[in-house]
Amino acid sequence: SGNDAPTPHHRRRGGEKHLKTVAIVGTGLIGASFGLALRRAGFDGEILGVSSPRALESAVEAGAIDSGAPLADAVGQADLVFLSSTIGRILDTLRHLDPLVRRDALVTDAGSTKCEIVDLAREKLRRCQFLGGHPMAGKETRGAASADAALFKGRTWVLTPDESAELETPAARDFRGWLDRIGAVVETLDSDEHDRVVSLTSHLPQLASTALASVAGHVRRLEISGSGLIDMTRLAASSYDLWRDILATNSAYIDRALADYIQTLEHLRENLRTREMQQEFERGAALAGRLRQAM
């Protein structure tokens, strides 16, 4: 539609790159949604996918990529390399990427934790720029068949440069322009601060949901439950395969978040009959209200 076309605000200033070829390494939900989002935003260059044959077939069928290619072929042509597989695979890819990439390329990623990825990229990727990223979007379902061109619209996309000047290179400016066009809300954070924050806002909710489902799983009469149990266990449907690497690469901050949560649960247990409980309810309701106002 006309609303999807680039506006004058997005026209490139002198010296900025023109994005012609994108390589998406990992064509699951996030990678395929990024391809679809680029297309909807008016990107008319080539989008190459690197993944398993089955995942590539699904991504081509969804219209998220033009074709599949081996890693060396895809990244050797790409102005932008988007690493959107699991954290473990992103780390593995970074170990092999440097001889393959173009010197003027930008490599970015969609990993849910940042410190290990950014540290490894700094060590291994010398020929071109790396800019860590984390789109705060997703679904419980996986794969290109679930991909959505609007997945990132209105959602936070965190970028984690070591220095602010990294956001102002021609390649980074062009990438940020496309994030703007697909509707993402870009936030910049230090990678360590990112990992601390998401341990509380993303990783703890997952583990709390998993723990609740594990405890409630002993109940035989689940029909005797309200909507609260369904709401609170939505995240428990998430795949361990996806979360294993997240937990392993952010274990220190997650450990601290769990310790604070357990301490609060113990406080609730000790104050079931006191007015202290009212204060906890009020604090909880205040956050719930702020979150819903922000949505």
Side-chain angles (χ1 to χ4, degrees):
S1 70
N3 291 336
D4 294 326
T7 65
H9 171 70
H10 297 115
R11 286 178 189 147
R12 294 167 186 80
R13 294 174 287 274
E16 291 195 20
K17 278 172 62 69
H18 175 63
L19 190 61
K20 293 177 181 173
T21 305
V22 175
I24 298 175
V25 184
T27 59
L29 172 68
I30 298 298
S33 293
F34 183 61
L36 290 176
L38 285 176
R39 286 288 184 234
R40 179 183 280 190
F43 178 70
D44 59 3
E46 189 173 20
I47 303 179
L48 300 170
V50 181
S51 206
S52 68
R54 196 171 175 183
L56 290 173
E57 185 181 342
S58 182
V60 169
E61 196 174 302
I65 63 172
D66 295 310
S67 61
L71 180 68
D73 292 350
V75 304
Q77 301 175 55
D79 304 294
L80 176 68
V81 178
F82 183 57
L83 306 178
S84 52
S85 46
T86 61
I87 293 170
R89 285 181 181 162
I90 289 171
L91 291 168
D92 188 54
T93 302
L94 282 171
R95 293 184 181 97
H96 301 96
L97 214 51
D98 198 57
L100 309 176
V101 291
R102 289 170 36 178
R103 292 188 181 277
D104 61 347
L106 176 71
V107 177
T108 187
D109 78 300
S112 303
T113 62
K114 293 270 61 84
C115 283
E116 284 200 25
I117 290 173
V118 170
D119 288 349
L120 186 66
R122 191 186 300 121
E123 177 192 342
K124 298 292 186 183
L125 207 56
R126 302 296 179 87
R127 281 164 58 91
C128 73
Q129 183 184 357
F130 178 82
L131 181 59
H134 179 199
M136 306 289 291
K139 296 180 180 180
E140 282 77 50
T141 51
R142 299 168 69 186
S146 298
D148 181 359
L151 188 68
F152 311 110
K153 193 173 180 64
R155 304 305 299 267
T156 298
W157 192 304
V158 181
L159 297 177
T160 58
D162 286 330
E163 299 171 10
S164 58
E166 293 173 24
L167 296 172
E168 302 302 332
T169 66
R173 282 190 179 203
D174 199 37
F175 175 53
R176 287 166 54 210
W178 283 106
L179 292 184
D180 191 23
R181 266 170 272 189
I182 68 176
V185 180
V186 175
E187 298 282 350
T188 304
L189 271 182
D190 170 81
S191 55
D192 186 68
E193 178 65 3
H194 167 277
D195 286 2
R196 185 190 72 79
V197 171
V198 294
S199 73
L200 293 162
T201 63
S202 176
H203 307 162
L204 180 59
Q206 172 63 53
L207 293 175
S209 181
T210 297
L212 175 60
S214 180
V215 172
H218 299 298
V219 176
R220 291 184 179 178
R221 299 292 301 275
L222 284 176
E223 68 274 16
I224 306 174
S225 63
S227 60
L229 188 62
I230 293 174
D231 292 343
M232 290 287 290
T233 56
R234 179 178 65 83
L235 294 176
S238 300
S239 164
Y240 173 67
D241 288 345
L242 191 68
W243 276 90
R244 177 183 55 221
D245 292 349
I246 295 173
L247 301 177
T249 55
N250 201 25
S251 56
Y253 279 128
I254 293 171
D255 182 88
R256 198 176 304 172
L258 282 171
D260 289 346
Y261 189 53
I262 291 165
Q263 186 177 11
T264 301
L265 288 173
E266 290 285 3
H267 179 71
L268 294 180
R269 187 167 73 164
E270 290 165 8
N271 289 282
L272 291 174
R273 294 169 178 267
T274 77
R275 292 297 293 269
E276 288 279 324
M277 185 65 80
Q278 181 180 349
Q279 294 176 7
E280 293 295 339
F281 265 70
E282 287 170 355
R283 271 195 285 268
L287 175 70
R290 279 166 53 202
L291 285 171
R292 279 148 188 80
Q293 283 175 356
M295 289 174 68

